[in-house]
Amino acid sequence: MRRYSVVIPIYNRPDEIKELLESLTKQTYNNFDVVIVEDGSSIKCEDIVNSFKSQLEVTYYYKENTGQGFSRNYGYERANGDYFIVFDSDCIIPANYFEELEKALNENYLDAFGGPDKSHPSFTDVQKAISYSMTSLFTTGGIRGNKKRVGTFHPRSFNMGISRQVFENTRGYIITRMGEDIEFSIRILNSGFKSGLVENAFVYHKRRTNFTHFFKQLHFFGRARINIYRFFPAELKPIHFMPAAFTIFCAFTLLSSIFSSTIFYLCLGILLLYSVLILIDATIKNRSLKIGFLSVAAVFTQLTGYGIGFLTELKRELFKEKK
């Protein structure tokens, strides 16, 4: 039986960690411990963590704020498992998560893995719509959690595992924000380790609770992709330009209303067709017309947020502007 250490960095989100820890108490496979790293929070979760010590093997550490990447390294250094698992604090873990992971690793061992994320029935309609937008084939989010994706699988840190050997070889994250998990995944693969997707090791990921926060998050993701380019230029692929292209197309549609009604209605028709396809697909998958409409808004928020962030950071890179 493999020993796992769960490393969870947290910053000012005590309510989230409570729900996550509650889900870990229900695991059908129990050979794991939990390391909570409080990253300089002003609202601490120590009391909540301590309330689970009778149900989980859990340790709590408080440190100055250094960002999520270096906080994960801090947890890795103190973990005692053969394999380290990282979750975002806004995740809920299905009861059979570790059972499925152990089974998958026994059948086909991976040095590093990533798992998909899904929407939980308890999520709000907005959260379900955001989850749809990040996992749908109609968006760039459709690349995530999909074995049919093109290219080598790069784990993401909302649901990611590495062997102890991977950490000892790579020493973990070398940047703490702006695409730190992508940079880490690339170095893992470049070091010769085997990575893959474990489809059944999924988590319920809450993400953001409103579209304003979601836009800010995706704006940051767009900037992060250019930051990864600074480390690994070859990793910037054509697909990463798609949200920026979509954003430019939306802007062009609005501007075309000034100089050409024909072009405007043509472009608007394309956007309406895209919206209808999303509406139908999201409505069917969620069995809710309301979530279908919210999903259209979520997709536009996702793509334009990412696109604007991407273009903003690309401009800074091209003209070497100071951040």
Side-chain angles (χ1 to χ4, degrees):
M1 289 179 66
R2 210 170 271 104
R3 172 75 169 179
Y4 297 95
S5 287
V6 179
V7 176
I8 306 169
I10 185 164
Y11 181 73
N12 286 336
R13 294 185 179 183
D15 292 339
E16 287 183 352
I17 200 66
K18 182 178 180 181
E19 198 166 16
L20 194 162
L21 291 175
E22 283 178 350
S23 69
L24 289 175
T25 66
K26 301 172 184 176
Q27 293 299 306
T28 56
Y29 180 101
N30 297 311
N31 193 17
F32 67 91
D33 66 291
V34 184
V35 180
I36 305 296
V37 182
E38 187 98 67
D39 188 28
S41 301
S42 57
I43 308 173
K44 297 182 181 180
C45 67
E46 184 174 11
D47 290 343
I48 291 174
V49 173
N50 287 338
S51 70
F52 282 89
K53 286 195 171 181
S54 63
Q55 303 174 73
L56 291 169
E57 186 179 339
V58 57
T59 52
Y60 171 89
Y61 297 96
Y62 182 89
K63 53 178 276 299
E64 65 178 8
N65 181 263
T66 58
Q68 53 198 13
F70 294 161
S71 292
R72 293 179 191 125
N73 287 347
Y74 186 97
Y76 291 156
E77 291 166 357
R78 289 154 180 80
N80 57 34
D82 309 306
Y83 214 88
F84 305 152
I85 309 294
V86 167
F87 297 131
D88 279 356
S89 62
D90 59 351
C91 289
I92 300 173
I93 316 304
N96 64 343
Y97 178 94
F98 284 100
E99 183 178 345
E100 290 291 344
L101 177 58
E102 180 74 358
K103 178 182 176 182
L105 293 180
N106 285 337
E107 292 176 352
N108 179 31
Y109 182 75
L110 299 169
D111 300 294
F113 87 96
D117 56 337
K118 298 184 179 182
S119 174
H120 192 271
S122 67
F123 288 2
T124 67
D125 289 344
V126 170
Q127 287 175 318
K128 290 176 182 178
I130 288 174
S131 179
Y132 170 86
S133 75
M134 290 295 288
T135 56
S136 171
L137 291 175
F138 285 103
T139 70
T140 55
I143 323 173
R144 303 162 63 107
N146 182 2
K147 275 195 171 181
K148 295 180 181 179
R149 71 190 299 278
V150 178
T152 306
F153 183 78
H154 292 71
R156 299 295 179 88
S157 54
F158 67 88
N159 178 15
M160 176 179 180
I162 62 170
S163 67
R164 178 177 289 276
Q165 184 181 0
V166 167
F167 176 63
E168 291 175 349
N169 181 277
T170 62
R171 302 315 301 170
Y173 297 84
I174 62 172
I175 57 176
T176 196
R177 298 182 181 90
M178 280 191 72
E180 78 288 341
D181 53 347
I182 304 174
E183 189 283 329
F184 186 28
S185 290
I186 294 169
R187 274 191 299 113
I188 289 172
L189 293 169
N190 288 349
S191 297
F193 290 109
K194 183 180 179 182
S195 169
L197 171 73
V198 179
E199 286 185 293
N200 290 333
F202 65 88
V203 300
Y204 298 115
H205 198 186
K206 295 180 193 173
R207 304 187 184 282
R208 295 300 180 257
T209 57
N210 62 62
F211 290 139
T212 300
H213 291 161
F214 185 48
F215 179 89
K216 291 178 180 179
Q217 182 186 47
L218 268 295
H219 184 276
F220 190 78
F221 286 175
R223 293 183 58 213
R225 177 52 64 180
I226 298 300
N227 196 41
I228 296 303
Y229 164 80
R230 296 180 177 115
F231 291 88
F232 303 102
E235 291 296 324
L236 189 61
K237 310 293 186 182
I239 194 170
H240 299 136
F241 288 84
M242 288 178 62
F246 177 84
T247 302
I248 292 170
F249 183 80
C250 289
F252 175 78
T253 299
L254 292 175
L255 288 174
S256 66
S257 64
I258 300 173
F259 59 82
S260 173
S261 59
T262 301
I263 294 176
F264 170 71
Y265 285 117
L266 176 62
C267 293
L268 185 62
I270 293 172
L271 291 176
L272 287 174
L273 176 61
Y274 181 56
S275 299
V276 169
L277 292 173
I278 293 167
L279 174 63
I280 294 171
D281 187 53
T283 297
I284 293 172
K285 289 183 176 177
N286 289 281
R287 298 180 180 179
S288 168
L289 183 60
K290 179 182 177 182
I291 296 175
F293 279 107
L294 288 171
S295 295
V296 174
V299 167
F300 275 72
T301 301
Q302 176 197 347
L303 295 179
T304 57
Y306 191 108
I308 293 171
F310 183 95
L311 292 169
T312 300
E313 200 67 21
L314 179 63
K315 176 175 175 286
R316 287 174 176 164
E317 177 63 19
L318 292 175
F319 294 98
K320 302 298 180 183
E321 292 181 359
K322 293 183 179 180
K323 300 177 188 174

